[in-house]
PDB file of all heavy atoms in Angstrom:
ATOM      1  N   ALA C   1     -18.938  42.104  62.423  1.00 46.00           N
ATOM      2  CA  ALA C   1     -18.115  42.965  63.232  1.00 46.00           C
ATOM      3  C   ALA C   1     -18.934  44.056  63.922  1.00 46.00           C
ATOM      4  O   ALA C   1     -18.423  44.847  64.634  1.00 46.00           O
ATOM      5  CB  ALA C   1     -17.085  43.618  62.361  1.00 46.00           C
ATOM      6  N   LEU C   2     -20.300  44.158  63.643  1.00 45.00           N
ATOM      7  CA  LEU C   2     -21.127  45.121  64.358  1.00 45.00           C
ATOM      8  C   LEU C   2     -20.924  45.065  65.899  1.00 45.00           C
ATOM      9  O   LEU C   2     -21.044  43.947  66.528  1.00 45.00           O
ATOM     10  CB  LEU C   2     -22.621  44.939  63.995  1.00 45.00           C
ATOM     11  CG  LEU C   2     -22.964  45.366  62.568  1.00 45.00           C
ATOM     12  CD1 LEU C   2     -24.439  45.080  62.268  1.00 45.00           C
ATOM     13  CD2 LEU C   2     -22.760  46.939  62.386  1.00 45.00           C
ATOM     14  N   SER C   3     -20.740  46.115  66.494  1.00 36.00           N
ATOM     15  CA  SER C   3     -20.529  46.081  68.022  1.00 36.00           C
ATOM     16  C   SER C   3     -21.834  45.909  68.647  1.00 36.00           C
ATOM     17  O   SER C   3     -21.945  45.404  69.854  1.00 36.00           O
ATOM     18  CB  SER C   3     -19.902  47.398  68.450  1.00 36.00           C
ATOM     19  OG  SER C   3     -20.783  48.583  68.002  1.00 36.00           O
ATOM     20  N   ASP C   4     -22.980  46.086  67.977  1.00 40.00           N
ATOM     21  CA  ASP C   4     -24.276  45.918  68.568  1.00 40.00           C
ATOM     22  C   ASP C   4     -25.140  45.229  67.634  1.00 40.00           C
ATOM     23  O   ASP C   4     -25.559  45.869  66.607  1.00 40.00           O
ATOM     24  CB  ASP C   4     -24.962  47.184  69.127  1.00 40.00           C
ATOM     25  CG  ASP C   4     -26.277  47.057  69.684  1.00 40.00           C
ATOM     26  OD1 ASP C   4     -26.611  46.012  70.137  1.00 40.00           O
ATOM     27  OD2 ASP C   4     -27.136  48.008  69.605  1.00 40.00           O
ATOM     28  N   PRO C   5     -25.475  43.976  67.767  1.00 41.00           N
ATOM     29  CA  PRO C   5     -25.225  43.104  68.921  1.00 41.00           C
ATOM     30  C   PRO C   5     -23.816  42.521  68.961  1.00 41.00           C
ATOM     31  O   PRO C   5     -23.212  42.456  67.780  1.00 41.00           O
ATOM     32  CB  PRO C   5     -26.283  41.946  68.802  1.00 41.00           C
ATOM     33  CG  PRO C   5     -26.518  41.855  67.307  1.00 41.00           C
ATOM     34  CD  PRO C   5     -26.357  43.289  66.841  1.00 41.00           C
ATOM     35  N   SER C   6     -23.313  42.098  70.064  1.00 46.00           N
ATOM     36  CA  SER C   6     -21.971  41.601  70.167  1.00 46.00           C
ATOM     37  C   SER C   6     -21.718  40.384  69.359  1.00 46.00           C
ATOM     38  O   SER C   6     -20.600  40.157  68.875  1.00 46.00           O
ATOM     39  CB  SER C   6     -21.747  41.273  71.620  1.00 46.00           C
ATOM     40  OG  SER C   6     -22.505  40.275  72.148  1.00 46.00           O
ATOM     41  N   GLY C   7     -22.680  39.560  69.091  1.00 58.00           N
ATOM     42  CA  GLY C   7     -22.405  38.319  68.281  1.00 58.00           C
ATOM     43  C   GLY C   7     -22.522  38.534  66.864  1.00 58.00           C
ATOM     44  O   GLY C   7     -22.235  37.683  66.085  1.00 58.00           O
ATOM     45  N   GLY C   8     -22.879  39.744  66.412  1.00 81.00           N
ATOM     46  CA  GLY C   8     -23.011  39.969  65.004  1.00 81.00           C
ATOM     47  C   GLY C   8     -24.321  39.574  64.353  1.00 81.00           C
ATOM     48  O   GLY C   8     -25.155  39.102  65.194  1.00 81.00           O
ATOM     49  N   LEU C   9     -24.451  39.727  63.095  1.00 85.00           N
ATOM     50  CA  LEU C   9     -25.660  39.484  62.507  1.00 85.00           C
ATOM     51  C   LEU C   9     -25.444  38.577  61.219  1.00 85.00           C
ATOM     52  O   LEU C   9     -24.322  38.479  60.792  1.00 85.00           O
ATOM     53  CB  LEU C   9     -26.422  40.773  61.969  1.00 85.00           C
ATOM     54  CG  LEU C   9     -26.676  41.795  62.960  1.00 85.00           C
ATOM     55  CD1 LEU C   9     -26.988  43.102  62.364  1.00 85.00           C
ATOM     56  CD2 LEU C   9     -27.839  41.313  63.958  1.00 85.00           C
ATOM     57  N   TYR C  10     -26.562  38.022  60.684  1.00 87.00           N
ATOM     58  CA  TYR C  10     -26.523  37.469  59.357  1.00 87.00           C
ATOM     59  C   TYR C  10     -27.871  37.873  58.684  1.00 87.00           C
ATOM     60  O   TYR C  10     -28.783  38.296  59.313  1.00 87.00           O
ATOM     61  CB  TYR C  10     -26.287  35.932  59.360  1.00 87.00           C
ATOM     62  CG  TYR C  10     -27.453  35.102  59.943  1.00 87.00           C
ATOM     63  CD1 TYR C  10     -28.459  34.662  59.066  1.00 87.00           C
ATOM     64  CD2 TYR C  10     -27.527  34.849  61.264  1.00 87.00           C
ATOM     65  CE1 TYR C  10     -29.468  33.884  59.491  1.00 87.00           C
ATOM     66  CE2 TYR C  10     -28.613  34.078  61.730  1.00 87.00           C
ATOM     67  CZ  TYR C  10     -29.571  33.593  60.893  1.00 87.00           C
ATOM     68  OH  TYR C  10     -30.651  32.879  61.436  1.00 87.00           O
ATOM     69  N   ILE C  11     -27.838  37.710  57.404  1.00 86.00           N
ATOM     70  CA  ILE C  11     -29.109  38.053  56.550  1.00 86.00           C
ATOM     71  C   ILE C  11     -29.800  36.781  56.120  1.00 86.00           C
ATOM     72  O   ILE C  11     -29.081  35.942  55.545  1.00 86.00           O
ATOM     73  CB  ILE C  11     -28.736  38.955  55.381  1.00 86.00           C
ATOM     74  CG1 ILE C  11     -28.118  40.242  55.917  1.00 86.00           C
ATOM     75  CG2 ILE C  11     -29.842  39.175  54.484  1.00 86.00           C
ATOM     76  CD1 ILE C  11     -29.034  41.122  56.634  1.00 86.00           C
ATOM     77  N   ALA C  12     -31.108  36.726  56.399  1.00 89.00           N
ATOM     78  CA  ALA C  12     -31.905  35.601  55.832  1.00 89.00           C
ATOM     79  C   ALA C  12     -32.889  36.204  54.799  1.00 89.00           C
ATOM     80  O   ALA C  12     -33.612  37.107  55.130  1.00 89.00           O
ATOM     81  CB  ALA C  12     -32.618  34.996  56.967  1.00 89.00           C
ATOM     82  N   GLU C  13     -32.939  35.543  53.629  1.00 87.00           N
ATOM     83  CA  GLU C  13     -33.825  35.980  52.605  1.00 87.00           C
ATOM     84  C   GLU C  13     -34.893  35.050  52.298  1.00 87.00           C
ATOM     85  O   GLU C  13     -34.760  33.785  52.463  1.00 87.00           O
ATOM     86  CB  GLU C  13     -33.001  36.048  51.271  1.00 87.00           C
ATOM     87  CG  GLU C  13     -32.057  37.172  51.116  1.00 87.00           C
ATOM     88  CD  GLU C  13     -31.372  37.095  49.774  1.00 87.00           C
ATOM     89  OE1 GLU C  13     -32.046  37.562  48.782  1.00 87.00           O
ATOM     90  OE2 GLU C  13     -30.219  36.818  49.621  1.00 87.00           O
ATOM     91  N   SER C  14     -36.088  35.503  52.080  1.00 88.00           N
ATOM     92  CA  SER C  14     -37.295  34.738  51.767  1.00 88.00           C
ATOM     93  C   SER C  14     -38.108  34.271  52.918  1.00 88.00           C
ATOM     94  O   SER C  14     -37.470  34.090  54.025  1.00 88.00           O
ATOM     95  CB  SER C  14     -37.043  33.616  50.778  1.00 88.00           C
ATOM     96  OG  SER C  14     -36.764  32.412  51.484  1.00 88.00           O
ATOM     97  N   THR C  15     -39.370  34.227  52.877  1.00 91.00           N
ATOM     98  CA  THR C  15     -40.154  33.809  54.013  1.00 91.00           C
ATOM     99  C   THR C  15     -39.888  32.347  54.455  1.00 91.00           C
ATOM    100  O   THR C  15     -39.916  32.061  55.635  1.00 91.00           O
ATOM    101  CB  THR C  15     -41.701  34.038  53.627  1.00 91.00           C
ATOM    102  OG1 THR C  15     -41.952  33.301  52.498  1.00 91.00           O
ATOM    103  CG2 THR C  15     -42.168  35.393  53.545  1.00 91.00           C
ATOM    104  N   LYS C  16     -39.656  31.490  53.526  1.00 90.00           N
ATOM    105  CA  LYS C  16     -39.308  30.160  53.803  1.00 90.00           C
ATOM    106  C   LYS C  16     -38.019  30.069  54.694  1.00 90.00           C
ATOM    107  O   LYS C  16     -37.995  29.309  55.643  1.00 90.00           O
ATOM    108  CB  LYS C  16     -39.103  29.310  52.547  1.00 90.00           C
ATOM    109  CG  LYS C  16     -38.721  27.838  52.835  1.00 90.00           C
ATOM    110  CD  LYS C  16     -38.598  27.085  51.593  1.00 90.00           C
ATOM    111  CE  LYS C  16     -39.930  26.702  50.925  1.00 90.00           C
ATOM    112  NZ  LYS C  16     -39.747  25.799  49.755  1.00 90.00           N
ATOM    113  N   VAL C  17     -36.996  30.806  54.241  1.00 91.00           N
ATOM    114  CA  VAL C  17     -35.738  30.717  55.043  1.00 91.00           C
ATOM    115  C   VAL C  17     -35.879  31.401  56.417  1.00 91.00           C
ATOM    116  O   VAL C  17     -35.390  30.926  57.379  1.00 91.00           O
ATOM    117  CB  VAL C  17     -34.609  31.499  54.223  1.00 91.00           C
ATOM    118  CG1 VAL C  17     -33.436  31.734  55.015  1.00 91.00           C
ATOM    119  CG2 VAL C  17     -34.189  30.617  53.005  1.00 91.00           C
ATOM    120  N   ILE C  18     -36.611  32.640  56.436  1.00 93.00           N
ATOM    121  CA  ILE C  18     -36.801  33.221  57.793  1.00 93.00           C
ATOM    122  C   ILE C  18     -37.655  32.337  58.646  1.00 93.00           C
ATOM    123  O   ILE C  18     -37.389  32.166  59.841  1.00 93.00           O
ATOM    124  CB  ILE C  18     -37.547  34.548  57.479  1.00 93.00           C
ATOM    125  CG1 ILE C  18     -36.621  35.520  56.705  1.00 93.00           C
ATOM    126  CG2 ILE C  18     -37.831  35.248  58.769  1.00 93.00           C
ATOM    127  CD1 ILE C  18     -37.371  36.715  56.189  1.00 93.00           C
ATOM    128  N   ALA C  19     -38.659  31.596  58.138  1.00 94.00           N
ATOM    129  CA  ALA C  19     -39.443  30.741  58.919  1.00 94.00           C
ATOM    130  C   ALA C  19     -38.598  29.563  59.509  1.00 94.00           C
ATOM    131  O   ALA C  19     -38.787  29.266  60.648  1.00 94.00           O
ATOM    132  CB  ALA C  19     -40.530  30.148  58.074  1.00 94.00           C
ATOM    133  N   ARG C  20     -37.649  29.105  58.753  1.00 93.00           N
ATOM    134  CA  ARG C  20     -36.832  27.994  59.238  1.00 93.00           C
ATOM    135  C   ARG C  20     -35.901  28.550  60.344  1.00 93.00           C
ATOM    136  O   ARG C  20     -35.662  27.872  61.300  1.00 93.00           O
ATOM    137  CB  ARG C  20     -36.120  27.373  58.140  1.00 93.00           C
ATOM    138  CG  ARG C  20     -36.925  26.445  57.264  1.00 93.00           C
ATOM    139  CD  ARG C  20     -36.202  25.725  56.149  1.00 93.00           C
ATOM    140  NE  ARG C  20     -36.962  24.693  55.532  1.00 93.00           N
ATOM    141  CZ  ARG C  20     -36.680  24.068  54.357  1.00 93.00           C
ATOM    142  NH1 ARG C  20     -35.546  24.404  53.706  1.00 93.00           N
ATOM    143  NH2 ARG C  20     -37.485  23.141  53.908  1.00 93.00           N
ATOM    144  N   ALA C  21     -35.361  29.737  60.179  1.00 93.00           N
ATOM    145  CA  ALA C  21     -34.526  30.405  61.120  1.00 93.00           C
ATOM    146  C   ALA C  21     -35.239  30.547  62.446  1.00 93.00           C
ATOM    147  O   ALA C  21     -34.701  30.227  63.494  1.00 93.00           O
ATOM    148  CB  ALA C  21     -33.935  31.685  60.529  1.00 93.00           C
ATOM    149  N   VAL C  22     -36.390  31.122  62.398  1.00 94.00           N
ATOM    150  CA  VAL C  22     -37.236  31.418  63.600  1.00 94.00           C
ATOM    151  C   VAL C  22     -37.662  30.087  64.176  1.00 94.00           C
ATOM    152  O   VAL C  22     -37.478  30.007  65.438  1.00 94.00           O
ATOM    153  CB  VAL C  22     -38.416  32.292  63.211  1.00 94.00           C
ATOM    154  CG1 VAL C  22     -39.436  32.315  64.418  1.00 94.00           C
ATOM    155  CG2 VAL C  22     -37.997  33.637  62.780  1.00 94.00           C
ATOM    156  N   ALA C  23     -37.929  29.057  63.467  1.00 93.00           N
ATOM    157  CA  ALA C  23     -38.310  27.748  64.069  1.00 93.00           C
ATOM    158  C   ALA C  23     -37.112  27.092  64.714  1.00 93.00           C
ATOM    159  O   ALA C  23     -37.347  26.359  65.690  1.00 93.00           O
ATOM    160  CB  ALA C  23     -38.860  26.869  62.936  1.00 93.00           C
ATOM    161  N   ALA C  24     -35.891  27.416  64.281  1.00 92.00           N
ATOM    162  CA  ALA C  24     -34.739  26.886  64.906  1.00 92.00           C
ATOM    163  C   ALA C  24     -34.301  27.702  66.144  1.00 92.00           C
ATOM    164  O   ALA C  24     -33.286  27.342  66.823  1.00 92.00           O
ATOM    165  CB  ALA C  24     -33.581  26.866  63.922  1.00 92.00           C
ATOM    166  N   GLY C  25     -35.059  28.725  66.476  1.00 92.00           N
ATOM    167  CA  GLY C  25     -34.802  29.470  67.648  1.00 92.00           C
ATOM    168  C   GLY C  25     -33.961  30.683  67.481  1.00 92.00           C
ATOM    169  O   GLY C  25     -33.523  31.439  68.400  1.00 92.00           O
ATOM    170  N   HIS C  26     -33.664  31.022  66.207  1.00 93.00           N
ATOM    171  CA  HIS C  26     -32.853  32.192  65.882  1.00 93.00           C
ATOM    172  C   HIS C  26     -33.751  33.484  66.037  1.00 93.00           C
ATOM    173  O   HIS C  26     -34.973  33.454  65.728  1.00 93.00           O
ATOM    174  CB  HIS C  26     -32.308  32.190  64.517  1.00 93.00           C
ATOM    175  CG  HIS C  26     -31.301  31.099  64.263  1.00 93.00           C
ATOM    176  ND1 HIS C  26     -30.270  31.151  63.357  1.00 93.00           N
ATOM    177  CD2 HIS C  26     -31.093  29.915  64.909  1.00 93.00           C
ATOM    178  CE1 HIS C  26     -29.480  30.071  63.491  1.00 93.00           C
ATOM    179  NE2 HIS C  26     -30.010  29.318  64.410  1.00 93.00           N
ATOM    180  N   ARG C  27     -33.194  34.565  66.422  1.00 92.00           N
ATOM    181  CA  ARG C  27     -33.917  35.783  66.733  1.00 92.00           C
ATOM    182  C   ARG C  27     -33.742  36.869  65.828  1.00 92.00           C
ATOM    183  O   ARG C  27     -32.634  37.358  65.567  1.00 92.00           O
ATOM    184  CB  ARG C  27     -33.487  36.181  68.221  1.00 92.00           C
ATOM    185  CG  ARG C  27     -34.349  37.375  68.851  1.00 92.00           C
ATOM    186  CD  ARG C  27     -34.107  37.467  70.309  1.00 92.00           C
ATOM    187  NE  ARG C  27     -32.711  37.581  70.636  1.00 92.00           N
ATOM    188  CZ  ARG C  27     -32.010  38.694  70.779  1.00 92.00           C
ATOM    189  NH1 ARG C  27     -32.675  39.849  70.591  1.00 92.00           N
ATOM    190  NH2 ARG C  27     -30.772  38.744  71.046  1.00 92.00           N
ATOM    191  N   PRO C  28     -34.772  37.373  65.066  1.00 94.00           N
ATOM    192  CA  PRO C  28     -34.547  38.429  64.158  1.00 94.00           C
ATOM    193  C   PRO C  28     -34.470  39.884  64.929  1.00 94.00           C
ATOM    194  O   PRO C  28     -35.085  39.996  65.968  1.00 94.00           O
ATOM    195  CB  PRO C  28     -35.942  38.468  63.398  1.00 94.00           C
ATOM    196  CG  PRO C  28     -36.920  37.777  64.225  1.00 94.00           C
ATOM    197  CD  PRO C  28     -36.156  36.856  65.158  1.00 94.00           C
ATOM    198  N   ARG C  29     -33.616  40.536  64.413  1.00 93.00           N
ATOM    199  CA  ARG C  29     -33.414  41.926  64.913  1.00 93.00           C
ATOM    200  C   ARG C  29     -34.445  42.904  64.187  1.00 93.00           C
ATOM    201  O   ARG C  29     -34.965  43.795  64.850  1.00 93.00           O
ATOM    202  CB  ARG C  29     -32.003  42.511  64.747  1.00 93.00           C
ATOM    203  CG  ARG C  29     -31.867  43.877  65.252  1.00 93.00           C
ATOM    204  CD  ARG C  29     -30.357  44.227  65.648  1.00 93.00           C
ATOM    205  NE  ARG C  29     -29.679  44.983  64.612  1.00 93.00           N
ATOM    206  CZ  ARG C  29     -28.690  45.767  64.900  1.00 93.00           C
ATOM    207  NH1 ARG C  29     -28.223  45.915  66.175  1.00 93.00           N
ATOM    208  NH2 ARG C  29     -28.064  46.418  63.867  1.00 93.00           N
ATOM    209  N   SER C  30     -34.588  42.685  62.926  1.00 95.00           N
ATOM    210  CA  SER C  30     -35.602  43.427  62.160  1.00 95.00           C
ATOM    211  C   SER C  30     -35.946  42.743  60.894  1.00 95.00           C
ATOM    212  O   SER C  30     -35.262  41.743  60.579  1.00 95.00           O
ATOM    213  CB  SER C  30     -35.187  44.834  61.874  1.00 95.00           C
ATOM    214  OG  SER C  30     -34.064  44.778  60.981  1.00 95.00           O
ATOM    215  N   VAL C  31     -36.999  43.084  60.226  1.00 96.00           N
ATOM    216  CA  VAL C  31     -37.381  42.473  58.955  1.00 96.00           C
ATOM    217  C   VAL C  31     -37.638  43.644  57.939  1.00 96.00           C
ATOM    218  O   VAL C  31     -38.211  44.726  58.303  1.00 96.00           O
ATOM    219  CB  VAL C  31     -38.547  41.631  59.067  1.00 96.00           C
ATOM    220  CG1 VAL C  31     -39.034  41.018  57.740  1.00 96.00           C
ATOM    221  CG2 VAL C  31     -38.365  40.444  60.048  1.00 96.00           C
ATOM    222  N   LEU C  32     -37.118  43.483  56.775  1.00 94.00           N
ATOM    223  CA  LEU C  32     -37.458  44.358  55.685  1.00 94.00           C
ATOM    224  C   LEU C  32     -38.354  43.631  54.678  1.00 94.00           C
ATOM    225  O   LEU C  32     -37.920  42.527  54.204  1.00 94.00           O
ATOM    226  CB  LEU C  32     -36.161  44.823  54.960  1.00 94.00           C
ATOM    227  CG  LEU C  32     -36.261  45.912  53.906  1.00 94.00           C
ATOM    228  CD1 LEU C  32     -35.052  46.813  53.751  1.00 94.00           C
ATOM    229  CD2 LEU C  32     -36.520  45.276  52.514  1.00 94.00           C
ATOM    230  N   VAL C  33     -39.555  44.131  54.410  1.00 94.00           N
ATOM    231  CA  VAL C  33     -40.472  43.426  53.603  1.00 94.00           C
ATOM    232  C   VAL C  33     -41.095  44.438  52.525  1.00 94.00           C
ATOM    233  O   VAL C  33     -41.384  45.604  52.902  1.00 94.00           O
ATOM    234  CB  VAL C  33     -41.596  42.783  54.488  1.00 94.00           C
ATOM    235  CG1 VAL C  33     -42.298  43.794  55.282  1.00 94.00           C
ATOM    236  CG2 VAL C  33     -42.503  42.019  53.667  1.00 94.00           C
ATOM    237  N   GLN C  34     -41.248  43.846  51.362  1.00 90.00           N
ATOM    238  CA  GLN C  34     -41.976  44.687  50.440  1.00 90.00           C
ATOM    239  C   GLN C  34     -43.447  44.599  50.611  1.00 90.00           C
ATOM    240  O   GLN C  34     -43.961  43.571  51.303  1.00 90.00           O
ATOM    241  CB  GLN C  34     -41.584  44.067  48.967  1.00 90.00           C
ATOM    242  CG  GLN C  34     -40.171  44.424  48.678  1.00 90.00           C
ATOM    243  CD  GLN C  34     -39.681  43.808  47.391  1.00 90.00           C
ATOM    244  OE1 GLN C  34     -40.104  42.643  47.059  1.00 90.00           O
ATOM    245  NE2 GLN C  34     -38.802  44.371  46.709  1.00 90.00           N
ATOM    246  N   GLU C  35     -44.184  45.571  50.152  1.00 88.00           N
ATOM    247  CA  GLU C  35     -45.557  45.734  50.581  1.00 88.00           C
ATOM    248  C   GLU C  35     -46.379  44.459  50.314  1.00 88.00           C
ATOM    249  O   GLU C  35     -47.330  44.126  51.044  1.00 88.00           O
ATOM    250  CB  GLU C  35     -46.214  46.976  49.861  1.00 88.00           C
ATOM    251  CG  GLU C  35     -45.619  48.319  50.354  1.00 88.00           C
ATOM    252  CD  GLU C  35     -45.744  49.374  49.452  1.00 88.00           C
ATOM    253  OE1 GLU C  35     -45.968  49.176  48.200  1.00 88.00           O
ATOM    254  OE2 GLU C  35     -45.545  50.579  49.852  1.00 88.00           O
ATOM    255  N   ARG C  36     -46.136  43.776  49.144  1.00 87.00           N
ATOM    256  CA  ARG C  36     -46.991  42.655  48.758  1.00 87.00           C
ATOM    257  C   ARG C  36     -46.704  41.466  49.656  1.00 87.00           C
ATOM    258  O   ARG C  36     -47.434  40.466  49.484  1.00 87.00           O
ATOM    259  CB  ARG C  36     -46.618  42.300  47.294  1.00 87.00           C
ATOM    260  CG  ARG C  36     -45.288  41.738  47.057  1.00 87.00           C
ATOM    261  CD  ARG C  36     -45.015  41.556  45.575  1.00 87.00           C
ATOM    262  NE  ARG C  36     -43.731  40.960  45.255  1.00 87.00           N
ATOM    263  CZ  ARG C  36     -42.629  41.556  45.261  1.00 87.00           C
ATOM    264  NH1 ARG C  36     -42.613  42.912  45.380  1.00 87.00           N
ATOM    265  NH2 ARG C  36     -41.420  40.842  44.925  1.00 87.00           N
ATOM    266  N   ARG C  37     -45.730  41.473  50.485  1.00 89.00           N
ATOM    267  CA  ARG C  37     -45.327  40.301  51.267  1.00 89.00           C
ATOM    268  C   ARG C  37     -45.696  40.471  52.793  1.00 89.00           C
ATOM    269  O   ARG C  37     -45.286  39.601  53.581  1.00 89.00           O
ATOM    270  CB  ARG C  37     -43.839  40.047  51.118  1.00 89.00           C
ATOM    271  CG  ARG C  37     -43.379  39.555  49.679  1.00 89.00           C
ATOM    272  CD  ARG C  37     -44.030  38.279  49.394  1.00 89.00           C
ATOM    273  NE  ARG C  37     -43.441  37.775  48.135  1.00 89.00           N
ATOM    274  CZ  ARG C  37     -43.757  36.622  47.420  1.00 89.00           C
ATOM    275  NH1 ARG C  37     -44.674  35.921  47.998  1.00 89.00           N
ATOM    276  NH2 ARG C  37     -43.253  36.272  46.370  1.00 89.00           N
ATOM    277  N   VAL C  38     -46.356  41.486  53.163  1.00 92.00           N
ATOM    278  CA  VAL C  38     -46.732  41.720  54.606  1.00 92.00           C
ATOM    279  C   VAL C  38     -47.428  40.609  55.228  1.00 92.00           C
ATOM    280  O   VAL C  38     -47.067  40.202  56.366  1.00 92.00           O
ATOM    281  CB  VAL C  38     -47.416  43.126  54.756  1.00 92.00           C
ATOM    282  CG1 VAL C  38     -47.888  43.168  56.190  1.00 92.00           C
ATOM    283  CG2 VAL C  38     -46.483  44.216  54.399  1.00 92.00           C
ATOM    284  N   ASP C  39     -48.471  40.132  54.632  1.00 91.00           N
ATOM    285  CA  ASP C  39     -49.191  38.966  55.182  1.00 91.00           C
ATOM    286  C   ASP C  39     -48.408  37.745  55.378  1.00 91.00           C
ATOM    287  O   ASP C  39     -48.600  36.950  56.359  1.00 91.00           O
ATOM    288  CB  ASP C  39     -50.409  38.618  54.288  1.00 91.00           C
ATOM    289  CG  ASP C  39     -51.549  39.737  54.378  1.00 91.00           C
ATOM    290  OD1 ASP C  39     -51.394  40.534  55.315  1.00 91.00           O
ATOM    291  OD2 ASP C  39     -52.341  39.862  53.476  1.00 91.00           O
ATOM    292  N   ASP C  40     -47.481  37.535  54.381  1.00 91.00           N
ATOM    293  CA  ASP C  40     -46.596  36.303  54.511  1.00 91.00           C
ATOM    294  C   ASP C  40     -45.666  36.322  55.682  1.00 91.00           C
ATOM    295  O   ASP C  40     -45.577  35.350  56.523  1.00 91.00           O
ATOM    296  CB  ASP C  40     -45.672  36.136  53.270  1.00 91.00           C
ATOM    297  CG  ASP C  40     -46.479  35.908  51.989  1.00 91.00           C
ATOM    298  OD1 ASP C  40     -47.664  35.456  52.073  1.00 91.00           O
ATOM    299  OD2 ASP C  40     -45.977  36.178  50.893  1.00 91.00           O
ATOM    300  N   ILE C  41     -45.104  37.553  56.010  1.00 93.00           N
ATOM    301  CA  ILE C  41     -44.177  37.725  57.096  1.00 93.00           C
ATOM    302  C   ILE C  41     -44.910  37.735  58.448  1.00 93.00           C
ATOM    303  O   ILE C  41     -44.375  37.349  59.472  1.00 93.00           O
ATOM    304  CB  ILE C  41     -43.239  38.849  56.924  1.00 93.00           C
ATOM    305  CG1 ILE C  41     -41.990  38.654  57.787  1.00 93.00           C
ATOM    306  CG2 ILE C  41     -43.890  40.164  57.312  1.00 93.00           C
ATOM    307  CD1 ILE C  41     -41.155  37.596  57.422  1.00 93.00           C
ATOM    308  N   ARG C  42     -46.242  38.290  58.455  1.00 92.00           N
ATOM    309  CA  ARG C  42     -47.054  38.335  59.495  1.00 92.00           C
ATOM    310  C   ARG C  42     -47.178  36.921  60.184  1.00 92.00           C
ATOM    311  O   ARG C  42     -47.173  36.763  61.474  1.00 92.00           O
ATOM    312  CB  ARG C  42     -48.388  38.935  59.324  1.00 92.00           C
ATOM    313  CG  ARG C  42     -49.171  39.374  60.559  1.00 92.00           C
ATOM    314  CD  ARG C  42     -50.524  39.655  60.153  1.00 92.00           C
ATOM    315  NE  ARG C  42     -50.709  40.719  59.126  1.00 92.00           N
ATOM    316  CZ  ARG C  42     -50.618  41.905  59.338  1.00 92.00           C
ATOM    317  NH1 ARG C  42     -50.493  42.423  60.437  1.00 92.00           N
ATOM    318  NH2 ARG C  42     -50.723  42.750  58.213  1.00 92.00           N
ATOM    319  N   ALA C  43     -47.353  35.925  59.367  1.00 90.00           N
ATOM    320  CA  ALA C  43     -47.599  34.570  59.851  1.00 90.00           C
ATOM    321  C   ALA C  43     -46.231  33.973  60.532  1.00 90.00           C
ATOM    322  O   ALA C  43     -46.446  33.043  61.290  1.00 90.00           O
ATOM    323  CB  ALA C  43     -47.975  33.620  58.647  1.00 90.00           C
ATOM    324  N   ILE C  44     -45.106  34.603  60.234  1.00 93.00           N
ATOM    325  CA  ILE C  44     -43.896  34.030  60.783  1.00 93.00           C
ATOM    326  C   ILE C  44     -43.425  34.843  62.052  1.00 93.00           C
ATOM    327  O   ILE C  44     -43.016  34.147  63.042  1.00 93.00           O
ATOM    328  CB  ILE C  44     -42.779  34.096  59.734  1.00 93.00           C
ATOM    329  CG1 ILE C  44     -43.160  33.374  58.412  1.00 93.00           C
ATOM    330  CG2 ILE C  44     -41.379  33.682  60.278  1.00 93.00           C
ATOM    331  CD1 ILE C  44     -42.279  33.571  57.349  1.00 93.00           C
ATOM    332  N   VAL C  45     -43.537  36.173  61.977  1.00 92.00           N
ATOM    333  CA  VAL C  45     -43.047  36.859  63.127  1.00 92.00           C
ATOM    334  C   VAL C  45     -44.073  37.755  63.811  1.00 92.00           C
ATOM    335  O   VAL C  45     -43.729  38.559  64.630  1.00 92.00           O
ATOM    336  CB  VAL C  45     -41.830  37.846  62.730  1.00 92.00           C
ATOM    337  CG1 VAL C  45     -40.697  37.029  62.086  1.00 92.00           C
ATOM    338  CG2 VAL C  45     -42.295  38.918  61.726  1.00 92.00           C
ATOM    339  N   GLY C  46     -45.320  37.476  63.438  1.00 84.00           N
ATOM    340  CA  GLY C  46     -46.412  38.323  64.042  1.00 84.00           C
ATOM    341  C   GLY C  46     -46.495  38.352  65.507  1.00 84.00           C
ATOM    342  O   GLY C  46     -46.839  39.380  66.136  1.00 84.00           O
TER     343      GLY C  46
END
C-alpha cells in the first residue's frame, strides 16, 4: 500500500534470493546488510 513506489514493495531475504530476484529483472529500492555480508551483496548489486 505504500504510495511511493506506486506498485508497492516486497521483501527478499538472503543473498541467494536477492540474486535470483535481480537476475529476473526485479529492481531493489534498497538493501539492508549486516557488516559480515557486505562482500556477498557487493557481487549482486555492486
Side-chain angles (χ1 to χ4, degrees):
L2 284 175
S3 59
D4 178 23
S6 59
L9 302 169
Y10 71 89
I11 295 296
E13 287 182 73
S14 84
T15 53
K16 179 180 287 187
V17 168
I18 296 167
R20 285 182 170 168
V22 171
H26 294 207
R27 190 164 52 92
R29 181 157 98 153
S30 68
V31 178
L32 183 150
V33 60
Q34 293 170 326
E35 293 160 341
R36 67 184 186 278
R37 296 292 188 183
V38 170
D39 288 341
D40 296 339
I41 202 63
R42 192 191 307 276
I44 300 168
V45 302

